[in-house]
Amino acid sequence: MSAAKKRIAVERIHKLFQLAQDMIHEDEELAQRYITIARKIAMAVRVHIPKEHRWKICRGCKKFILPGVNCRVRIQHRREPHRVITCGYCGKQMRFPIKEKTKRAYAKNSTQSEEKAKR
Ligand SMILES: [Zn+2]
């Protein structure tokens, strides 16, 4: 598979995620179909789903999930600060570490509660 084809595929995946995001409030089924297509494209040309979109697909049921629509996002400070995303369809929980930069911003607000938790 040529690099150009892969690039076009990635562009299409981006577009499909955008479409799904716009559509999920109106027609959830259609939004889910966009994501199915995006995944199929990714598999066909053997590229990864772009990082910024990866967390929007449930690892359990492979459905499109979006905060405030069909999943729950919680911040956990235990051990490494991380986001916990709970899928609204199958209830699968996914953990994502919070990046250094964001971590510092969170730490500023939560140092107190974290100190308390340690004791
Ligand atoms: Zn799920």
Side-chain angles (χ1 to χ4, degrees):
M1 196 64 68
S2 72
K5 266 189 189 166
K6 281 193 179 177
R7 211 193 56 230
I8 292 165
V10 170
E11 267 167 36
R12 245 175 235 173
I13 291 166
H14 273 296
K15 196 161 252 176
L16 283 161
F17 268 92
Q18 190 59 55
L19 283 170
Q21 222 158 307
D22 293 342
M23 192 47 76
I24 193 136
H25 301 282
E26 285 173 44
D27 189 340
E28 200 203 306
E29 216 172 292
L30 186 58
Q32 295 297 350
R33 209 146 57 200
Y34 286 144
I35 294 315
T36 311
I37 295 165
R39 284 184 57 240
K40 276 188 185 155
I41 292 173
M43 276 188 270
V45 295
R46 305 180 74 179
V47 293
H48 285 297
I49 297 282
K51 233 183 246 161
E52 65 261 51
H53 298 312
R54 216 169 294 163
W55 63 271
K56 295 173 197 160
I57 297 180
C58 171
R59 275 182 208 159
C61 60
K62 311 291 181 200
K63 277 191 173 182
F64 181 53
I65 48 176
L66 208 60
V69 180
N70 44 25
C71 75
R72 212 171 49 205
V73 181
R74 292 287 179 272
I75 306 289
Q76 284 281 346
H77 290 287
R78 245 165 287 156
R79 279 199 226 160
E80 281 292 289
H82 56 280
R83 279 187 308 170
V84 181
I85 299 183
T86 310
C87 172
Y89 296 105
C90 67
K92 169 123 184 133
Q93 292 192 332
M94 291 154 279
R95 285 174 185 81
F96 298 90
I98 291 166
K99 283 183 209 128
E100 275 306 319
K101 216 170 145 192
T102 348
K103 209 190 277 180
R104 242 173 279 136
Y106 280 119
K108 220 185 252 176
N109 299 322
S110 62
T111 331
Q112 257 182 327
S113 53
E114 232 167 88
E115 281 302 304
K116 259 181 227 161
K118 267 180 210 159
R119 265 169 229 152

